[in-house]
Amino acid sequence: MDYPNDQDPGAPVRFGIPAHGRIPKYYAVKAHIGRLVEELGEGGLLPTERDLSETYGVARETVRQALRDLLLEGKLRRQGRGTVVAGPKLEQPLSLASYTEGVRRQGRTPGRSLISLDRFPCPEALAAEVGLQRGEPVWHMERVLLADDERVGLESTYVAVGRVPDLDRDFDPDSSFYAYLRDRLGIAFGDADERIETVLATPREALLIGTPPALPMLLIHRVSRDTGARPLERVRTLYRGDRFSFTTHLGD
């Protein structure tokens, strides 16, 4: 098979071009702009839509479609009235390491902004996952995830009030919940089950994260247990699809 020598091994085979060579016009423009993005580097300002349409000899709507794809892929981002080259995606490990630890490993500053912290009777659908009987008190904590003050996700955590009775009084919502459990309460994580899917944010979620509703999101469901195999937390986390990728190590 003809494999271009200059193609990144992580890119689509033959740059996604079918054998017959016929591709949509916007895709050809997208490839040209993609090379321009590499030349400009992070933070580089892209020419205007008008300039790009003149350079490549296509309609402005064709340029817009190419730019939309690159924005959704996280290669570009809007800045004021212009478009600039985005930085690399944050790599979050699929492990029991916290979000805080994952972001810090990449030289970024993690943070969280509290949206709500509520206590309510545990519903039947949630009870088994947090080790409660229906009606027993459970916490729900919702926080926006930050990286260098950029909003990159939204996290909902459910945990039994009996396990963390003073969550509303002695926990700093801008800090790591895992570190709080480990260092303050002596609770160690044992294992967890995770499920990942691609979704679109609801209008409320998009508003909180600061993204358009059409932006794809990576949704992770996690149910964690402590070292004694007791249910500990149930977490639902949305990550911006244009700002995150996930890594894991496979082996025995």
Side-chain angles (χ1 to χ4, degrees), residues 46 69 77 94 104 109 118 125 165-166 185 202 214 217 224:
L46 217 63
D69 273 20
R77 61 181 174 86
L94 290 172
R104 279 181 178 155
T109 301
D118 302 308
D166 299 319
L185 302 180
T202 65
M217 296 282 178
S224 304

Side-chain angles (χ1 to χ4, degrees), residues 92-102 105 112 155 176-179 181-182 187-194 220-227 232-233 235 239 247-249:
Q92 187 71 0
L94 290 172
S95 69
L96 282 173
S98 71
Y99 167 79
T100 299
E101 294 166 354
R105 275 200 293 266
R112 292 176 175 85
E155 178 183 77
S176 167
F177 181 56
Y178 287 10
L181 292 175
R182 181 186 64 235
I187 299 174
F189 280 82
D191 67 331
D193 295 317
E194 284 192 336
I220 291 190
H221 301 274
R222 173 184 282 196
V223 177
S224 304
R225 292 167 287 273
D226 62 19
T227 51
L232 183 54
E233 61 163 4
V235 184
Y239 293 96
T247 62
T248 189
H249 173 73

Side-chain angles (χ1 to χ4, degrees), residues 130-200:
V130 291
L132 293 175
Q133 298 295 320
R134 178 181 177 183
E136 291 186 296
V138 65
W139 291 114
H140 171 237
M141 178 169 58
E142 185 177 40
R143 298 183 291 175
V144 172
L145 303 177
L146 307 171
D148 291 342
D149 294 324
E150 177 188 12
R151 288 178 285 175
V152 294
L154 183 66
E155 178 183 77
S156 285
T157 302
Y158 300 88
V159 61
V161 171
R163 309 236 33 200
V164 285
D166 299 319
L167 186 65
D168 58 339
R169 292 196 295 271
D170 63 4
F171 173 64
D172 176 5
D174 184 44
S175 65
S176 167
F177 181 56
Y178 287 10
Y180 168 75
L181 292 175
R182 181 186 64 235
D183 302 336
R184 188 70 176 264
L185 302 180
I187 299 174
F189 280 82
D191 67 331
D193 295 317
E194 284 192 336
R195 177 167 57 88
I196 304 176
E197 57 185 305
T198 303
V199 299
L200 296 178

Side-chain angles (χ1 to χ4, degrees), residues 54-74:
E54 291 176 356
T55 297
Y56 302 125
V58 297
R60 290 182 66 174
E61 181 54 39
T62 302
V63 170
R64 287 194 193 104
Q65 188 172 357
L67 293 176
R68 279 195 294 267
D69 273 20
L70 292 167
L71 284 162
L72 288 174
E73 292 172 5

